[in-house]
Amino acid sequence: MQKIVVTGGLGFIGSHTVVELQNEGFEVLIIDNLSNSNIGVLDGITSITGKKPAFFKIDLKDKQKVAQFFKENKVDGVIHFAASKAVGESVHEPLKYYENNIATLIYVLQEMNKNKVTNFIFSSSCTVYGDADEFPITEKSPIKKAENAYGNSKQIGEEIIADVTKVKNLNAIALRYFNPIGGHKSIKIGELPLGVPQNLIPYVTQTAAGIRKELSVFGNDYETHDGTPIRDYIHVTDLAKAHVIAMKRLFEDKQKAKMEYFNIGTGVGSSVFDVIKTFEKVNDLKINYKVVDRREGDVTAYLADVSFANTELGWRSELTLKDALRSAWLWQEKQEIK
Ligand code: UFG
């Protein structure tokens, strides 16, 4: 049984990926510092899969601890999620983002190299494309200057990994996620934002639950069918499965290059109004909202061309926006009961 380290394995995407890895028979070791996650997620994962993953409370900024972990645990691959991800915060706290997202990546890669661990999957983002000019976005679309420190940390992260693969025994895949949403069908794990949500879907569910008074729709004067920005919302379970397929690709030596990049989205674009309407319909609820000014740094659209992931990686999304918005609401309801 291959052993996979999942950094940030108690976070939103990490926890769903741990479930899919365990379902496929991999042994998982989670590293998480609990800075933006909850230890209770471990019970959710255990209850879904029937197996408790090993858990290590390690802050990856602690270089010595990272070294000790890799020395003491012989592993076959690493999926690196652990990072800060609030776009707005990254503008005001750039050093936090470069330390959390770049320094930790370097420490992990150094220890993988020292301990001859050669398989690496990097949690990247559609933000690497910046304010794209053409849609849908393919992997060959230009990497434009990042709009914020978060996006820049993902661009730099990809470059660091690519440089290492050129000279060291490292095979890597960067998965560029579009907008991950939804939760596991068991409703035992889901998205758990701390404080006021920054992202659309948790804000919508908390508004529906009465925790927030109303949703602010950030601008309706974009050049789209209804004036609100378009995103490619991808169900987190589909996204999690892409990681399992990518890890198998590394183990089975199917790579065409030592560093590969794949867009992970659905190829379907939805506006903010489309999301609100679909949420209201599938859950039979009404959302209070008002249109306010545009949010700084937002782009008109992100839409993935997923043909390369379909044909080369052999992955495609199966779940829909409706599935995601239904599971997001069921998860939110469960939080209220607690
Ligand atoms: N939006 C609102 N009101 C809100 C929140 C969001 O109208 O209260 C709109 C935004 O303007 C945007 C859309 O909903 O048009 C989606 O916004 P999100 O904040 O949910 O996500 P982003 O598209 O801004 O995604 C960014 C980065 C991703 C990153 C993600 C998570 O592009 O790479 O934030 O932090 F993963």
Side-chain angles (χ1 to χ4, degrees):
M1 198 193 284
Q2 280 135 331
K3 283 192 190 178
I4 315 288
V5 179
V6 180
T7 73
L10 294 182
F12 175 43
I13 309 172
S15 58
H16 288 80
T17 301
V18 172
V19 165
E20 299 305 324
L21 285 167
Q22 294 202 150
N23 283 346
E24 289 288 314
F26 290 103
E27 187 174 336
V28 178
L29 292 78
I30 294 176
I31 294 180
D32 202 299
N33 68 356
L34 300 173
S35 66
N36 193 22
S37 59
N38 185 319
I39 190 68
V41 174
L42 205 52
D43 296 334
I45 295 169
T46 309
S47 158
I48 295 168
T49 61
K51 191 168 182 244
K52 190 169 188 161
F55 172 63
F56 300 81
K57 186 174 181 297
I58 295 172
D59 188 329
L60 296 175
K61 293 195 290 296
D62 189 335
K63 198 174 168 165
Q64 255 99 49
K65 289 255 172 66
V66 179
Q68 196 188 342
F69 172 86
F70 279 95
K71 214 168 137 199
E72 289 173 2
N73 296 281
K74 202 189 144 0
V75 299
D76 303 291
V78 176
I79 305 181
H80 183 51
F81 291 105
S84 295
K85 60 162 193 169
V87 175
E89 184 191 42
S90 80
V91 176
H92 302 286
E93 300 280 352
L95 292 175
K96 173 177 169 184
Y97 275 70
Y98 293 125
E99 185 179 32
N100 284 354
N101 298 6
I102 306 291
T104 60
L105 170 67
I106 293 170
Y107 299 157
V108 169
L109 291 174
Q110 282 173 333
E111 294 313 316
M112 286 179 67
N113 191 240
K114 254 186 234 159
N115 293 281
K116 301 189 171 45
V117 185
T118 58
N119 300 302
F120 188 68
I121 294 175
F122 182 57
S123 182
S124 192
S125 166
C126 63
T127 29
V128 299
Y129 298 111
D131 195 357
D133 296 314
E134 278 177 36
F135 301 97
I137 299 170
T138 76
E139 289 80 355
K140 293 202 167 70
S141 295
I143 303 294
K144 292 175 71 183
K145 188 169 166 36
E147 304 268 321
N148 47 63
Y150 165 75
N152 203 25
S153 77
K154 293 295 173 187
Q155 288 186 353
I156 297 168
E158 285 191 356
E159 285 173 7
I160 291 172
I161 301 160
D163 284 347
V164 177
T165 60
K166 282 179 205 152
V167 292
K168 301 280 182 190
N169 191 5
L170 181 72
N171 300 309
I173 295 178
L175 298 179
R176 293 174 174 162
Y177 319 147
F178 282 65
N179 284 55
I181 60 165
H184 193 263
K185 62 176 192 268
S186 65
I187 320 297
K188 288 177 175 167
I189 53 173
E191 193 168 5
L192 270 178
L194 292 183
V196 181
Q198 306 291 317
N199 296 112
L200 179 63
I201 307 309
Y203 211 105
V204 166
T205 61
Q206 292 197 7
T207 305
I211 301 167
R212 311 282 155 206
K213 209 168 114 264
E214 70 185 353
L215 168 74
S216 295
V217 172
F218 298 135
N220 64 351
D221 57 349
Y222 286 89
E223 275 183 48
T224 63
H225 64 276
D226 61 16
T228 63
I230 290 187
R231 296 290 182 269
D232 184 335
Y233 295 95
I234 163 98
H235 197 295
V236 67
T237 296
D238 280 335
L239 175 55
K241 287 180 180 169
H243 294 79
V244 179
I245 292 171
M247 196 41 103
K248 286 185 180 168
R249 180 178 176 87
L250 295 177
F251 287 141
E252 290 162 12
D253 258 337
K254 286 189 186 155
Q255 281 194 293
K256 300 271 163 70
K258 288 192 76 187
M259 170 96 182
E260 292 181 317
Y261 309 83
F262 293 100
N263 284 346
I264 304 295
T266 64
V268 178
S270 307
S271 71
V272 175
F273 284 154
D274 291 336
V275 168
I276 295 172
K277 275 186 216 144
T278 308
F279 182 88
E280 290 183 332
K281 202 164 165 204
V282 293
N283 297 307
D284 197 16
L285 285 163
K286 280 276 161 227
I287 299 291
N288 293 327
Y289 71 84
K290 70 162 186 259
V291 176
V292 300
D293 286 348
R294 290 182 176 200
R295 181 171 68 178
E296 207 187 332
D298 271 352
V299 300
T300 305
Y302 274 126
L303 182 62
D305 182 325
V306 286
S307 47
F308 190 54
N310 293 166
T311 55
E312 186 57 41
L313 189 60
W315 168 90
R316 66 179 63 241
S317 64
E318 287 166 357
L319 299 164
T320 63
L321 180 68
K322 285 183 185 170
D323 297 323
L325 295 177
R326 182 73 187 134
S327 63
W329 173 242
L330 292 174
W331 171 249
Q332 179 66 55
E333 278 193 307
K334 203 171 159 189
Q335 306 315 302
E336 279 188 290
I337 297 164
K338 272 185 185 167

